[in-house]
Structures are given as structure tokens and as C-alpha cells.
Amino acid sequence: MQITFLTFDGTPYTVDADEGMTAMEAAINNGVDGIEGDCGGNCNCATCHVFVDPKWSGQVGEASPMEEALLASRSDLAENSRLACQIELVAELDGLVLQMPESQFI
Amino acid sequence: MSDAGVVIIGAGQAGATVASGLAQAGYQGSITLIGEESYAPYQRPPLSKGFINGDTGIEGLLVKPESYYAQKHIQLIKGCRVQSIQPGSYSVQLDNGEQLSYGSLVLCTGSRPRALSIKGADLKYVFSLRNIDDAQAIKDALPEKGRLVIVGAGYVGLELAASCVKQGLTVTVLERAARVMERSASPQVSEHYRAMHEAAGVNIVCDVNVLALQGEQQVTAVEVEDGRVWPADVVVIGVGAVANTELAQSVGLQCDDGILIDDQCRSSIESIYAAGDCTRQTHALLQKSLRLESVQNATAQARMIVAHMMNKPAPRSEVPWFWSDQFDVRLQIAGIVQPDYTPILRGDPDSGSFSVLHMLDDRLQALEGINRPMDFTLGRKLISEQIQVNTDSLMDESIPLYPPPVMTKSG
């Protein structure tokens, strides 16, 4: 399956991913800048913040309370915010588009 | 900046973040990342948890896939030690005979487990836990049913205890202090964790001084000062860590239990920066000299260095934070818990979800959250902004910690 990560200025990076991995792993494994994942995908650090493309909101689903709490620490929080480490890539998410916030770029 | 590029000594999470940050920021010079271990940079926190359990393999620990470094033109040199630094000629000498020039040097030399100088510490099946090889050796040594004795009830010791008791081992934790996690947690939280471990079958013994490890070739028991003896098949020593400052000291960098760095992570010698466990810095928000051993500190300092080298705005200073996962319980600590703060309980510990708020003059200084993620997030804001708050409102769980209710004068 494929996932597209958009940088904050809209440049797309489309990467191959395997079902069962997380969107964060898909980004890290493919060297996509803008997803840090400092805590290793443990839902601890909020450095893999993404904005889910509105077309995909329904399929991606809602954040857990733990994730929601971490997202609340982000000053760039939006309605479509998620942590990429908490998005498990199931078959229906083939083609998913996620945008990365500017603050995750140095 | 000099054409000679950036040389990073130490390929842990701090070093890896400096390297990837520079590559990402479009640094044009060469980036060399030198690590002592034979692995690409990896995360240490899972070693006492998922790695010991077998849930996470080496691949799953890596900060970036191994191919990342070449892809980003980062020269990753593994299994190599830096023998010496020559600040006068801006170069470092490697133990493989190679000499490297640098324009900027970054020391990310980390920390190592504190050794216990007791009889028997060198026996077979006595370990400490810092790196993959340690964790793998412990894993290989653990019998299916057997006795594990852990010396030290800090994070590493307790996380390991939680992982191993779940696997069916008989686990005993011996602690010198009067309570578990004494250095970093409040008495309320210590008590909660002691009870939690005991309920899971871990034998926690505090107020004991380990005298010697017994055994001929391999360890068979741990002996404490009052004469008690605990039989053991495997012993793990987890009594804190020591900053690796030897290399820094050898060139005269100012050190004081950590390489001293300024607010931009510069050491006392020009063109030499330092980040991570090996450093001591006056924290910008807390105005305290701290040597922190945490992922957050390592990556924050690394990003500060990248920003400074690339003439980018410095990242905002964050309240230090830590986490520990034991059993299915998450402990999140924001700020530094100190005994002179006044603790306030928010929530009922018996419910398994509560926070301890640490106050000084009506201002929140630190927070320990147990399965309490929203308190942790909002507490970080309160600590960082140092807003004066009404302590009664903090105890009221129906009121979020942030934004705090406006203070009103009564009477």
C-alpha cells in the first residue's frame, strides 16, 4: 500500500508501506523528514503530529484519550490532528494523505 | 562554518538527532556520526520493556533505518571509539588509526551504568542494562523459571522487574533507599508503585545495602549487610548512571558531573558542543543546573545545536519530562520533583489514575501523572507559565488544570 506525506508547503512524498505498520513507521522507514517520533512510536512525545486529509478523516478514526491529551500539547492543534504513531495502516487506508506541520521541520 | 564539517561523537539518540537535523536543515558540509556500538542509532527505553519481552527486535529499536544515513549523506562509523580530540588542529583521532577534521564537534558521549564495587560483581550472570548487548545477554541468561534479583529500584530496575515477573520469573528488587524511585518520584508515587509491583508478585525490599554477590564462577546469591541472602540465577545492577565525560575532560572542557554547556549547548571550548545524558546545563525555564537522562532532553539539546549551527531561531525551551511504562500503567513526570515542594493529590490513587502536583508558593513546579495524560499535558503548560493558581481548584477533578480558574480574593 502507499501513503502520501505532504510537507507543510505541500511537497508530496509517496512511500510504500505494509499493512499493520503505523503511519509513523512508514515515514521513518522511508526517511521522510517532518515526522520525528522521538519516543519510538509510544504515544509519549507528540513529535509525529500530522493533519489528516479531510477526505480520509472518516476512515482514520478518532484519537484515544492518551493521544488526545498529547495532541493538546501542540500549539498547532487542528480538528484533523492525529499522531502518526497511532494510525495503524489497515488495507482501507491505502492512498492515505497526511500533512506534516511546519513545526516538525528544522 | 568551516568546510571540515561536523563530527558527532556518540551515536545515541542525541547524536542521531543532530545528524538527521543537520541533513534535514540542508547543511552542506560533511556530517560524520561515530558510535562505539555495532548498531545504527537506536532507542534505549524499550530495552527494559519491549525488547526484553521479545515484542520489539533490533529493527524496531532503530531511530532511523540503517539505510537512512547513507541516503542523507551522513557518514555513520560504527564500532569505533574516539581516542583523542585535538582542539588546536580541529581534529579527532579514532581508534582505527583514522584522523578526522572538524569545523564543529558535538559530544554525545552519553552515560554508563554506575558500577557497584562489591565482591562478586564480576561473576557470570551479573549484568547491568544500558545497551542492546546488555539486554540481549540478560535475555539469553534468564531461565524460563528462575530467580532474578535486581539491585536498585529506579526506572530501569522496576521496568525490568515488571517485564520479567510477567514472564513467570521470581523477581526480587533490593533497594538501598527507604522507597522505590526515591531519586525521581514523590513518596506517594513510590508507595503506589511498590504496591503495584507487590500485587504482581515482585518482592520489593527497601532499606538494604548489598554487601556481596556469592558464587564460584557464576552468581548464586545476593548477600545484604544484615546477613540476609537471596538466591539468584541472574543479577541485574541498576543503581543509576554516570556521565561519560572522560574525553571532554581530557581536552580541558569544563565538567561538573556532566559536560558544562551554555543555553545553546556550547561547551567551554570554541566549536565544541555537547548534548544528551553527558551534559549539565542551567535549564532555561527552571533556572536550575541539571544533568538530565531522558530522551526529551537528548533530542531538545540536539535540535538546539542544529538551530545554532544553521543560524535558525532557537527552539522553545520545554519543561523537562520523563515517562515510565510498567505493567499497563504509564507514569509521566513533568518538571523535577523536589522535597521542598508541597504535594497536592488530584484524583484517587485507588482508582489507578491520579496526579501528584508539586507546588511552591501557589505555583506548579512539577507533576507526576499516573494514567493521567491530560493532567500531564496541561500541567506542563502550568509549570512553564508559572501562573499563580488556587490550590483548591487543582484538587477538583472536574476542573481542567489549564487554563486555571482566575484567582479571586475572598473576604
Side-chain angles (χ1 to χ4, degrees):
Chain A
M1 62 193 295
Q2 289 194 318
I3 307 292
T4 298
F5 293 94
L6 301 174
T7 63
F8 63 94
D9 59 9
T11 312
Y13 289 93
T14 299
V15 303
D16 290 322
D18 295 330
E19 235 181 279
M21 60 168 57
T22 66
M24 183 207 86
E25 288 168 330
I28 301 278
N29 289 350
N30 289 286
V32 176
D33 290 332
I35 299 278
E36 299 292 350
D38 285 355
C39 75
N42 252 309
C43 197
N44 250 319
C45 72
T47 62
C48 65
H49 181 198
V50 290
F51 303 114
V52 178
D53 184 295
K55 287 199 289 286
W56 290 91
S57 301
Q59 288 97 312
V60 168
E62 304 266 300
S64 70
M66 178 66 75
E67 182 185 349
E68 220 167 77
L70 278 165
L71 282 167
S73 70
R74 300 287 315 209
S75 55
D76 43 10
L77 178 71
E79 225 168 78
N80 55 343
S81 286
R82 287 294 308 269
L83 294 180
C85 72
Q86 300 302 304
I87 301 178
E88 198 192 322
L89 298 178
V90 290
E92 301 84 77
L93 292 180
D94 189 9
L96 177 67
V97 179
L98 301 169
Q99 180 149 32
M100 301 175 288
E102 185 167 6
S103 57
Q104 269 157 215
F105 291 83
I106 289 177
Chain B
M1 201 174 300
S2 153
D3 290 332
V6 176
V7 171
I8 304 156
I9 304 176
Q13 203 145 3
T17 306
V18 173
S20 63
L22 285 171
Q24 201 190 116
Y27 176 67
Q28 292 298 308
S30 65
I31 305 168
T32 309
L33 178 59
I34 306 164
E36 216 171 78
E37 294 179 61
S38 51
Y39 309 98
Y42 63 89
Q43 335 234 2
R44 298 187 193 278
L47 291 179
S48 50
K49 305 179 273 265
F51 188 79
I52 284 281
N53 281 337
D55 296 341
T56 309
I58 291 176
E59 287 286 302
L61 295 177
L62 298 183
V63 172
K64 304 275 186 195
E66 183 130 18
S67 59
Y68 173 88
Y69 301 93
Q71 206 180 68
K72 300 282 178 181
H73 305 289
I74 296 165
Q75 193 195 359
L76 173 63
I77 305 176
K78 296 182 294 187
C80 181
R81 283 184 77 100
V82 172
Q83 242 163 15
S84 61
I85 303 169
Q86 291 80 38
S89 60
Y90 292 85
S91 63
V92 297
Q93 180 75 43
L94 309 185
D95 68 355
N96 62 12
E98 212 183 321
Q99 194 165 11
L100 291 175
S101 298
Y102 65 80
S104 297
L105 184 66
V106 188
L107 300 181
C108 304
T109 46
S111 59
R112 61 176 178 274
R114 189 185 303 279
L116 265 194
S117 43
I118 52 170
K119 191 171 155 265
D122 53 355
L123 287 170
K124 201 175 172 195
Y125 300 131
V126 178
F127 304 97
S128 54
L129 177 48
R130 170 75 189 169
N131 55 39
I132 288 181
D133 290 345
D134 295 334
Q136 188 61 54
I138 292 171
K139 225 170 126 169
D140 294 344
L142 287 175
E144 225 162 78
K145 293 242 179 293
R147 293 153 305 182
L148 166 67
V149 176
I150 298 168
V151 180
Y155 291 134
V156 170
L158 290 184
E159 287 174 359
L160 184 68
S163 304
C164 291
V165 82
K166 275 194 282 195
Q167 293 176 27
L169 290 156
T170 303
V171 182
T172 301
V173 180
L174 304 175
E175 168 59 48
R176 192 176 57 174
R179 57 187 177 89
V180 303
M181 301 193 293
E182 193 235 8
R183 279 187 312 145
S184 56
S186 65
Q188 294 89 331
V189 169
S190 291
E191 175 52 27
H192 190 78
Y193 274 77
R194 183 194 60 76
M196 192 167 86
H197 275 267
E198 287 182 349
V202 178
N203 180 25
I204 303 258
V205 188
C206 291
D207 280 320
V208 282
N209 249 326
V210 173
L211 191 65
L213 305 181
Q214 300 176 348
E216 289 295 317
Q217 268 151 354
Q218 66 183 63
V219 72
T220 54
V222 180
E223 183 187 342
V224 304
E225 253 175 21
D226 61 16
R228 283 181 288 174
V229 170
W230 278 270
D233 301 304
V234 173
V235 172
V236 178
I237 313 280
V239 292
V242 184
N244 293 325
T245 58
E246 288 76 4
L247 195 60
Q249 282 175 300
S250 73
V251 289
L253 287 188
Q254 283 177 19
C255 296
D256 176 15
D257 176 33
I259 303 168
L260 297 182
I261 54 172
D262 69 7
D263 55 350
Q264 289 172 316
C265 302
R266 292 175 295 193
S267 76
S268 59
I269 293 184
E270 187 241 320
S271 301
I272 304 183
Y273 299 79
D277 289 13
C278 64
T279 66
R280 173 174 288 276
Q281 186 181 37
T282 299
H283 193 275
L285 280 176
L286 307 185
Q287 286 304 309
K288 283 190 181 90
S289 166
L290 300 173
R291 187 175 80 74
L292 297 171
E293 292 164 9
S294 72
V295 168
Q296 179 247 339
N297 180 61
T299 56
Q301 290 183 336
R303 291 192 180 110
M304 177 64 82
I305 291 173
V306 172
H308 191 259
M309 283 183 183
M310 301 301 290
N311 292 315
K312 302 249 183 186
R316 213 159 34 113
S317 181
E318 264 189 83
V319 173
W321 58 265
F322 315 86
W323 85 86
S324 177
D325 291 330
Q326 296 170 38
F327 306 105
D328 294 323
V329 177
R330 170 160 294 182
L331 170 64
Q332 292 167 300
I333 301 183
I336 309 294
V337 176
Q338 291 185 180
D340 54 327
Y341 298 153
T342 308
I344 294 178
L345 191 63
R346 178 178 162 91
D348 177 10
D350 289 339
S351 73
S353 159
F354 67 101
S355 295
V356 183
L357 312 176
H358 298 271
M359 311 297 295
L360 188 66
D361 301 331
D362 294 335
R363 290 181 168 86
L364 184 63
Q365 306 302 318
L367 178 147
E368 298 162 285
I370 285 143
N371 284 343
R372 203 74 169 186
M374 200 50 104
D375 281 0
F376 170 71
T377 290
L378 301 181
R380 277 154 72 193
K381 289 194 190 188
L382 265 190
I383 298 168
S384 130
E385 294 175 16
Q386 285 298 290
I387 304 171
Q388 212 175 351
V389 283
N390 179 334
T391 48
D392 289 340
S393 77
L394 295 180
M395 280 185 268
D396 184 345
E397 290 184 79
S398 67
I399 307 174
L401 287 180
Y402 191 98
V406 181
M407 288 274 283
T408 47
K409 284 213 171 97
S410 56

